Amino acid sequence: MTARAVSTVLVGRRRELVALRDALARARTGEPTTVLVGGEAGVGKTRLLEEFGRSATDAGARLLVGQCLELGEVGLPFAPFAAALRAVLRRDGAEVFAGYEAEFARLLPELARGPLGGTAPAVAPGSDAPRGYLFDLVAELFHRLAAVQPLMLVIEDLHWADRSTRDLIGLLVRGARTARLLLVCTYRTDELHRGHPLRPFLAELDRARGVERIELGRLDRDGTGAILADLLGTEPAARAVDDIHERTQGNPFFVEELAAAGDPIGCAALPETLRDLLLARVERLPEAAQRVLRIAAAGGTRIAHQLLAEVAGLPELELEDALRAAVAAQLAVADPDGDYEFRHALVREAVHDELLPGEHARLHARFAAAVEAQPHLVAAGRAPAEIAHHWYAAHDHPRALVTARTAACAAADRYAYAEQSRLLERVLELWELVPDAADRLGMDHLAVLEETLAAATTAGDYHRALTLTRAALAEVDGDAEPLRAARLLERRGRMLAMLGKSDGAAELREAYRLVSGVPDGPERLRLLVDVAAYLVRIDPEQAASVIGEAMTAAEALGEDITLLPTRIAMLCRTSRAPDLGLAEMRRAEALARAADNAPALVSALVHSSDVLFELGRYAEAAEAAAAGVVEARRVGISRSSGAYLLSNQAEALIALGRWDEADAACAEAARIDPPGVSGLHWLQLRAGLRLARGHPAADELVGPALAFLARPYLWPNHRLPLLELRIEAALAAGDRSEAVRAGWSALADDRLSQLPREGWPVLGAVARVAALTGDADLAATVAARAADLPARHPAERAYAAQVTATLAADGQAVAAWRAAVAAWRAAEQPYPLGRSLLALAEAAAGAGERDEVGAAVREASVIAGQLGATPLAEQAATLARRVGLRGATRGRPGADLLTLREQEVLRLVAEGHSNSRIAAELFISPKTASVHVSRIIAKLDVSNRVEAAALAHRLNLLAGPR
């Protein structure tokens, strides 16, 4: 994928922009105002000021920009002021200098030359005006310019400023004689070594009146992701964002450089231009300091002083002198704990990449030996991983193999399953390089594959897990080890379904066949329950048979399967109790807490939050899901077993009308990036939320969500909500033809009648399409499917009432919509209540029920405002305008909107008359009739006279006065 070289978006700088705008506002009032913007190289100081400069000039300010040059103290004096004044000369001409061209020629030599290279007679070359006098002239010029329009003077790269430039800036700041001037100076914080002349100058400015400092920090992960999305032209994978953010630490320039180098995920090598830039400052250090930095680079971005001393083997004073030079050069940072850290991770990476092969291996071996001998030299719990890393980097394969497995076990103990998976992958990589690997580890290759598979699955890396199942199945002997083969088949079937590649039924049934001939035992029992839990989605009858067999086995063995996560899932999907098995799940949750069984607890909270939502107990559902999020994060299973918790929480919050919180939960789910179809739920919810809010970027989520429909297989409870989303997206886009096609496609789904929770929202959406398009066949089919679908819980009953009202005949519509409104009040979902209120208002307008129209529209408007549902608010406003609701509570609909003459014209339009016929009937000219028709179309917010006539009939706008 090709990336654009420079990002066009400004990310994560809202607070700084507000501060700059406030500063400009103060300057406009005549208050002395100076802003000092600091930040490391590449952090975006110039980009921030470009954005602010555009808005400032749009608001009527004048912008002058000057750049300090990297020439040191002996460089060109006044370079930034010369650049700014040159811009003034080009725009205003020499007259702006008010006869002081000779003095200003010290800053602008061209003022001493005539237009054709001759000497200008009015200018004395080489004036010896005192410096203070020149400063006063510059300040006076800025004062005159600011009197015409507010002036913003930007001085960039103040760390390179010469003494004269600093003195002139000091005069402008401390003199404070120029009203309506905003002075903005930028500087690099990483250039300010202890003896840098800018340090005392900034301290002096801080004491002056009206000076404000803004420190520009690095971007967070979301900011890095936003820049990558802009550069790549598409939403980057979460892993790519994580990789780039970890390496760049949120520095926008580094993000751009790495993105431009190629595919962000796998961009292992630094671009040469960036490497040269990073190493330039390193190469200016004394050789001893460079040598110590190379040693430190092998140790990592952060390293303890004692560990560095151990590996370097240098005299203490020599080591301290070298480190002092690196810290003074802003390449390393010392902290109070005695540790050192590279100021930027990419500097460490560039230095490390410069190590010679022998040097590289030798240094890493010394680090490995040092940490093995003294584990306390690294952070607590990190010694196994550090040792494994260093032996691997030292190319000592036998030691790397053993320590990688040891570190993997330590990672699992800390719930760091992604790290465990990576370390086990290294064990697999090294296996062929170590002839006696099995003896050293005490396990065969298949056992390593199984362990890696389990870690990848728990970490949520389902694509890798699927590949590992294939490799493991190629090694296992199903006849000799049926349980081992069955477990691998069960996992493969599960991964196939989770990735939407197939339903996994063939693998699950083969796994069941293999365990059928195995004597009862704990492992066989767990396999039976796991197989049943996934078969229930595909073949409920066989799943019931398998779970019955598992229960019999459990009784024979005296085993309690209550806490098996898949048993909990079975309860959710098979219980016919009124509470959908909630009581039993609550029991499992309590037992899991008592046993400190985190996987069982997370599973219980996933499914109990889901069941609570279905029962209409939304606040409890959100609370249960939130508790599960915390627990899943604690034990590192947010991307696997706990993948649905955030989306379950968001779903409940959407139902409660807490949309901002729901959107935040979806954003957090996006950052976690659940794998396979487990990443669909949040995406579908957030896409629907954006449609309901009229978000301009709704399509960015709708498209990827609907793309899941193209997968070979989706579970029905995932597929049906996508069919509803497809309809809602078509309606939002005004594409009625697509909405009809999507409606028929949804009605053709064979699982619609078996899943009331997902089926009723689909029928509600299709009914809307039928009503909007007047498609009688579609309406009849919806009614037939609705008659077969049970309505068990509050939301389902409300949808049933809504479908009935949507399809009701004119004479029955008001009563039907009253029933739907009452049902949604009982269900306590504000958004569908607001929609139903609006439909009731339209039906009441058609029946002439003026008071009911006003009350319903007003309540719908309030709900829309609270939710931020812009389309609903606009529909309410349009209906209010059409029926003439402008705060009045009397009169017939439309009386406040159309004049009496327009009402007469509308009646004739509804009868099908042309403009000429209307003119003849009303004794007006055809041109006047045309004007009236155009006004009516605009006031009713319709596209043409046919729609105006239809709306007039529907809203009862043609009825006579009452």
Side-chain angles (χ1 to χ4, degrees):
M1 180 179 297
T2 302
R4 192 171 56 251
V6 180
S7 174
T8 59
V9 297
L10 183 67
V11 175
R13 304 305 187 199
R14 181 175 300 176
R15 181 179 60 83
E16 291 82 359
L17 276 174
V18 169
L20 286 168
R21 286 170 183 149
D22 290 345
L24 181 59
R26 293 195 301 273
R28 285 178 182 276
T29 65
E31 182 179 338
T33 310
T34 300
V35 180
L36 305 174
V37 181
E40 68 182 10
V43 83
K45 301 179 293 298
T46 299
R47 180 73 184 84
L48 170 69
L49 291 181
E50 286 174 348
E51 185 73 20
F52 174 58
R54 277 194 291 272
S55 65
T57 53
D58 290 345
R62 181 170 183 177
L63 175 64
L64 297 177
V65 180
Q67 180 92 32
C68 298
L69 302 179
E70 190 180 4
L71 298 174
E73 286 291 300
V74 297
L76 292 175
F78 305 116
F81 287 100
L85 293 176
R86 192 164 286 114
V88 172
L89 175 62
R90 283 196 298 268
R91 173 173 160 177
D92 300 279
E95 296 78 13
V96 74
F97 298 106
Y100 294 99
E101 291 88 346
E103 288 76 7
F104 278 105
R106 294 184 63 186
L107 302 180
L108 296 179
E110 56 264 43
L111 284 174
R113 297 189 297 270
L116 297 177
T119 302
V123 178
S127 172
D128 293 325
R131 198 175 66 150
Y133 180 47
L134 177 63
F135 285 9
D136 286 339
L137 289 176
V138 172
E140 178 60 29
L141 173 61
F142 289 150
H143 180 77
R144 292 198 306 272
L145 295 174
V148 177
Q149 61 185 130
L151 182 63
M152 176 178 163
L153 175 61
V154 175
I155 306 294
E156 291 211 69
D157 296 323
L158 195 58
H159 51 279
W160 289 331
D162 60 283
R163 170 69 181 273
S164 298
T165 295
R166 294 196 299 272
D167 289 346
L168 180 47
I169 291 172
L171 174 75
L172 292 175
V173 173
R174 289 188 293 271
R177 289 175 294 177
T178 302
R180 304 211 307 167
L181 168 66
L182 170 61
L183 177 61
V184 182
C185 301
T186 72
Y187 61 94
R188 291 183 184 174
T189 53
D190 52 342
E191 293 278 354
L192 303 188
H193 53 77
R194 191 169 302 277
H196 198 290
L198 190 59
R199 279 181 175 271
F201 180 67
L202 291 175
E204 289 178 21
L205 294 185
D206 281 337
R207 293 191 292 271
R209 176 187 169 205
V211 175
E212 176 184 0
R213 277 218 211 191
I214 295 177
E215 289 293 331
L216 217 54
R218 297 169 182 174
L219 299 176
D220 59 15
R221 181 194 177 280
D222 289 346
T224 299
I227 289 182
L228 281 175
D230 178 60
L231 292 170
L232 301 174
T234 185
E235 195 68 27
R239 190 180 303 176
V241 178
D242 291 339
D243 178 62
I244 292 287
H245 185 67
E246 182 179 357
R247 296 176 71 190
T248 64
Q249 297 178 306
N251 183 296
F253 173 71
F254 293 163
V255 173
E256 291 173 349
E257 287 293 303
L258 285 187
D263 185 358
I265 231 174
C267 176
L270 287 175
E272 284 298 322
T273 53
L274 180 56
R275 183 190 307 280
D276 293 343
L277 181 67
L278 293 168
L279 291 176
R281 293 170 62 193
V282 175
E283 291 164 355
R284 291 199 291 266
L285 290 175
E287 178 54 38
Q290 291 187 48
R291 185 167 60 253
V292 168
L293 273 187
R294 288 196 295 272
I295 296 170
T301 301
R302 185 181 181 87
I303 187 169
H305 179 86
Q306 190 177 350
L307 176 59
L308 181 59
E310 187 75 23
V311 174
L314 296 173
E316 190 67 21
L317 289 178
E318 185 177 336
L319 177 62
E320 288 178 355
D321 286 345
L323 287 169
R324 185 175 290 108
V327 170
Q330 301 285 313
L331 290 166
V333 180
D335 67 23
D337 297 328
D339 293 344
Y340 293 92
E341 183 176 5
F342 279 87
R343 180 171 286 277
H344 205 288
L346 284 183
V347 174
R348 187 213 70 84
E349 188 176 329
V351 173
H352 185 262
D353 288 348
E354 290 294 296
L355 294 175
L356 298 173
E359 185 182 22
H360 180 279
R362 185 175 65 256
L363 285 176
H364 280 287
R366 285 161 64 179
F367 271 108
V371 178
E372 279 185 330
Q374 303 180 71
H376 65 277
L377 294 179
V378 296
R382 288 300 302 165
E386 293 286 338
I387 293 167
H389 162 70
H390 288 301
W391 283 129
Y392 180 74
H395 307 301
D396 189 327
H397 298 149
R399 285 193 176 103
L401 175 82
V402 175
T403 56
R405 173 81 199 317
T406 302
C409 294
D413 291 340
R414 292 185 290 107
Y415 308 119
Y417 298 110
E419 182 179 352
Q420 180 198 13
S421 178
R422 285 193 295 271
L423 286 162
L424 288 172
E425 292 280 1
R426 183 177 296 167
V427 173
L428 290 172
E429 174 193 340
L430 293 168
W431 187 277
E432 299 299 330
L433 303 176
V434 182
D436 58 345
D439 294 335
R440 287 177 179 272
L441 296 180
M443 59 196 304
D444 62 16
H445 189 259
L446 180 56
V448 178
L449 279 171
E450 290 171 322
E451 198 171 302
T452 311
L453 167 60
T457 303
T458 308
D461 190 354
Y462 292 165
H463 286 280
R464 182 57 182 163
L466 183 63
T467 301
L468 289 166
T469 60
R470 184 172 63 247
L473 283 166
E475 292 190 20
V476 71
D477 184 341
D479 294 331
E481 299 180 284
L483 275 177
R484 204 173 189 181
R487 173 57 73 189
L488 290 169
L489 283 165
E490 179 272 329
R491 283 182 169 165
R492 182 166 179 79
R494 189 166 18 130
M495 292 302 102
L496 287 168
M498 290 299 296
L499 293 171
K501 293 180 177 292
S502 79
D503 60 7
E507 288 76 11
L508 292 169
R509 290 185 176 120
E510 177 61 14
Y512 176 62
R513 187 191 68 77
L514 286 173
V515 299
S516 296
V518 177
D520 282 341
E523 179 58 24
R524 178 179 185 273
L525 175 60
R526 290 185 178 85
L527 255 172
L528 286 173
V529 175
D530 289 349
V531 168
Y534 279 88
L535 271 178
V536 73
R537 296 173 181 262
I538 307 157
D539 188 341
E541 290 186 12
Q542 186 178 7
S545 172
V546 175
I547 197 62
E549 186 178 339
M551 296 297 288
T552 302
E555 291 175 10
L557 292 168
E559 291 273 346
D560 183 1
I561 63 172
T562 303
L563 292 186
L564 289 181
T566 45
R567 165 62 180 157
I568 297 167
M570 282 291 296
L571 284 170
C572 178
R573 300 189 181 100
T574 61
S575 176
R576 288 178 169 79
D579 70 346
L580 301 178
L582 180 62
E584 190 67 19
M585 271 184 273
R586 286 282 171 83
R587 175 174 167 264
E589 180 185 334
L591 289 172
R593 288 187 188 278
D596 195 24
N597 187 334
L601 177 57
V602 169
S603 182
L605 291 169
V606 168
H607 295 291
S608 63
S609 62
D610 192 52
V611 167
L612 284 164
F613 180 89
E614 191 163 354
L615 293 171
R617 294 158 63 173
Y618 306 122
E620 292 177 74
E623 185 179 343
V629 168
V630 174
E631 189 66 20
R633 188 178 294 129
R634 181 179 74 84
V635 296
I637 54 176
S638 297
R639 294 191 75 240
S640 52
S641 306
Y644 286 101
L645 285 164
L646 280 165
S647 55
N648 281 1
Q649 182 186 14
E651 188 176 31
L653 292 170
I654 289 171
L656 290 167
R658 292 156 59 181
W659 283 10
D660 288 339
E661 295 174 67
D663 190 67
C666 287
E668 179 61 24
R671 281 189 285 272
I672 291 173
D673 190 28
V677 296
S678 61
L680 170 59
H681 192 209
W682 76 262
L683 182 61
Q684 167 249 316
L685 289 173
R686 202 178 195 193
L689 193 58
R690 285 194 175 181
L691 285 176
R693 284 187 148 174
H695 195 291
D699 288 346
E700 294 178 7
L701 296 182
V702 171
L706 295 182
F708 275 81
L709 289 170
R711 297 202 177 194
Y713 179 77
L714 275 183
W715 284 316
N717 62 316
H718 285 140
R719 185 173 64 246
L720 289 172
L722 284 182
L723 296 176
E724 178 199 359
L725 178 65
R726 181 184 170 195
I727 295 169
E728 293 289 354
L731 291 175
D735 190 343
R736 294 190 176 187
S737 297
E738 171 59 20
V740 170
R741 285 192 294 272
W744 281 115
S745 175
L747 293 177
D749 195 290
D750 58 355
R751 297 298 294 273
L752 180 65
S753 59
Q754 301 170 30
L755 297 171
R757 172 177 169 177
E758 292 81 12
W760 277 114
V762 172
L763 290 182
V766 181
R768 285 177 60 217
V769 175
L772 283 170
T773 60
D775 191 323
D777 291 340
L778 191 60
T781 306
V782 171
R785 299 301 294 270
D788 295 334
L789 195 61
R792 309 157 301 166
H793 307 299
E796 293 170 11
R797 291 192 287 270
Y799 271 116
Q802 177 185 315
V803 169
T804 299
T806 305
L807 302 178
D810 289 344
Q812 303 168 334
V814 174
W817 277 115
R818 286 172 183 157
V821 167
W824 279 117
R825 286 195 198 281
E828 299 181 319
Q829 289 200 37
Y831 181 60
L833 172 60
R835 279 182 149 185
S836 296
L837 283 164
L838 206 56
L840 171 60
E842 188 167 322
E849 300 287 347
R850 174 70 172 183
D851 291 340
E852 193 160 17
V853 175
V857 169
R858 279 190 286 274
E859 187 178 357
S861 297
V862 170
I863 290 172
Q866 291 170 342
L867 298 176
T870 302
L872 180 62
E874 291 173 348
Q875 291 161 15
T878 298
L879 180 59
R881 188 168 62 252
R882 284 170 170 172
V883 300
L885 285 176
R886 295 179 180 172
T889 56
R890 298 182 303 278
R892 63 184 179 80
D896 293 337
L897 180 66
L898 303 178
T899 65
L900 289 175
R901 175 62 82 185
E902 287 167 348
Q903 293 170 42
E904 292 175 336
V905 172
L906 178 59
R907 187 174 293 107
L908 294 173
V909 167
E911 292 173 3
H913 295 315
S914 65
N915 289 348
S916 299
R917 180 67 182 275
I918 293 170
E921 287 280 340
L922 299 179
F923 302 103
I924 57 178
S925 71
K927 183 176 180 180
T928 301
S930 175
V931 170
H932 282 310
V933 171
S934 297
R935 286 177 177 170
I936 290 166
I937 289 172
K939 287 184 176 182
L940 296 182
D941 196 20
V942 293
S943 301
N944 52 53
R945 58 200 299 140
V946 175
E947 288 185 13
L951 186 68
H953 286 296
R954 190 166 76 247
L955 299 184
N956 198 28
L957 300 182
L958 304 177
R962 294 175 183 263

